[in-house]
């Protein structure tokens, strides 16, 4: 597995692969790889002949007071894991290569990029949309793999490629969980043992609420109960929302596949998670 750090080296490598008739999958990451990322790489391999993993801790998606400075960085470890997982190329640009002096463009989105994560993290999706648009245009891959763990981000990226006519197919990868249900995340490394023991309750409450909704329980009281359970257990509840699984518009009925999405604060760590709420509509 080679490492390239410039757009021209990335494009040269991909052009050579294309000349050989090889398809290409991109896995965008910010490093600090865990089993969830390795699952993305495996899915990429099932979708294309060649896999590029990008590693870029994107400063533009971190707000003031967020964890940009302490975000775990260990490129050598990440490169070893990627290589072992079978990735063909690591694309690890420097911040100055991604955002050279004079860089003045931001990709702003409304619709699915509003509310939930955006309420607590203003500027987050502008940062994500800008860097993901750049990565997709730089690589020109056939497909790119994004995890369902960041469900709002996944829907935002789908909107982005549709709106900007980017010819890269977006592939969704199911969330990888610890045995106690906690979603794998690079930020789990911040949890102390006491916090780690409390963390799985997020997934448990979401699952209970999704099962109750699917069984026809009244939505308002079901969501209120779940919000109370999360608020009591964690240090703060940022949001818990029942949304349409494709558009992220507010859901009130079981007529389409839905999603329960939540974010909580646990000490200095923000945890997010989501689960499916199946539609009650029977297949024709
Ligand atoms: O999900 C992430 O790791 C990041 O938001 C992404 C998609 C790599 C963009 O920086």
């Amino acid at each position: 597995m080679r490492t390239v750090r410039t757009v021209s080296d990335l494009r040269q490598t991909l052009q050579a692969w294309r000349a050989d008739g090889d398809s290409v999958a991109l896995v965008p990451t910010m490093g600090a790889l865990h089993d969830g990322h390795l699952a993305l790489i495996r899915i990429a391999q099932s979708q294309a002949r060649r896999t590029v993993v990008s590693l870029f801790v994107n400063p533009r998606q971190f707000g003031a007071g967020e964890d940009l400075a302490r975000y775990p960085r260990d490129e050598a470890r990440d490169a070893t894991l990627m290589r072992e997982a079978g990735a063909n190329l690591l694309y690890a640009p420097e911040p100055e290569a991604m955002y050279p002096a004079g860089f003045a463009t931001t990709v702003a989105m409304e619709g699915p990029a509003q509310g939930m994560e955006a309420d607590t993290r203003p500027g987050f999706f502008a940062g994500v949309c800008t860097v993901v648009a750049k990565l997709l245009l730089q690589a020109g891959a056939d497909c790119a793999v994004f995890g369902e763990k960041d469900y709002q981000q996944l829907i935002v990226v789908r909107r982005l490629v549709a709106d900007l006519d980017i010819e890269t197919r977006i592939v969704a990868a199911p969330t990888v969980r610890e045995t106690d249900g906690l979603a794998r995340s690079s930020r789990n490394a911040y949890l102390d043992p006491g916090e780690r023991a409390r963390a799985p309750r997020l997934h448990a409450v979401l699952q209970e609420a999704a099962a109750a909704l699917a069984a026809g329980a009244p939505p308002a009281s079901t969501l209120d109960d779940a919000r109370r359970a999360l608020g009591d257990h964690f240090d703060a509840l940022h949001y818990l929302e029942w949304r349409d699984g494709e558009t992220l518009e507010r859901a009130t009925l079981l007529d389409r596949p839905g999603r329960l999405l939540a974010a909580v604060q646990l000490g200095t760590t923000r945890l997010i998670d989501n689960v499916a709420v199946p539609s009650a509509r029977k297949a024709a």
Side-chain angles (χ1 to χ4, degrees), residues 96-213:
E96 304 72 40
M98 198 58 112
Y99 302 119
F103 187 88
T105 300
T106 298
V107 180
M109 186 186 290
E110 298 174 355
Q114 290 174 318
M116 297 191 288
E117 287 302 288
D119 286 343
T120 340
R121 308 181 72 191
F124 171 66
F125 283 121
V128 168
C129 287
T130 303
V131 82
V132 170
K134 281 180 69 81
L135 289 167
L136 295 179
L137 293 169
Q138 289 170 348
D142 299 278
C143 68
V145 188
F146 289 82
E148 287 186 347
K149 153 78 172 29
D150 297 288
Y151 198 80
Q152 188 176 7
Q153 171 176 276
L154 169 68
I155 301 301
V156 162
V157 169
R158 285 197 190 287
R159 184 78 262 156
L160 179 80
V161 297
D163 289 357
L164 298 186
D165 306 311
I166 297 175
E167 290 184 324
T168 299
R169 187 167 48 87
I170 303 303
V171 177
T175 302
V176 176
R177 298 184 180 280
E178 306 283 358
T179 48
D180 59 12
L182 178 65
R184 298 297 306 256
S185 162
S186 305
R187 290 185 166 103
N188 292 350
Y190 301 152
L191 299 172
D192 69 26
E195 291 166 347
R196 175 63 189 82
R198 285 164 67 197
R201 187 91 185 107
L202 174 57
H203 181 236
V205 170
L206 285 174
Q207 269 193 311
E208 285 158 23
L213 289 172

Side-chain angles (χ1 to χ4, degrees), residues 17 20 22-26 44-45 47-52 86-88:
W17 288 347
D20 288 345
D22 291 350
S23 54
V24 181
L26 171 70
Q45 287 167 328
Q47 300 286 318
R49 176 101 175 79
R50 303 280 192 166
T51 298
V52 184
N88 303 103

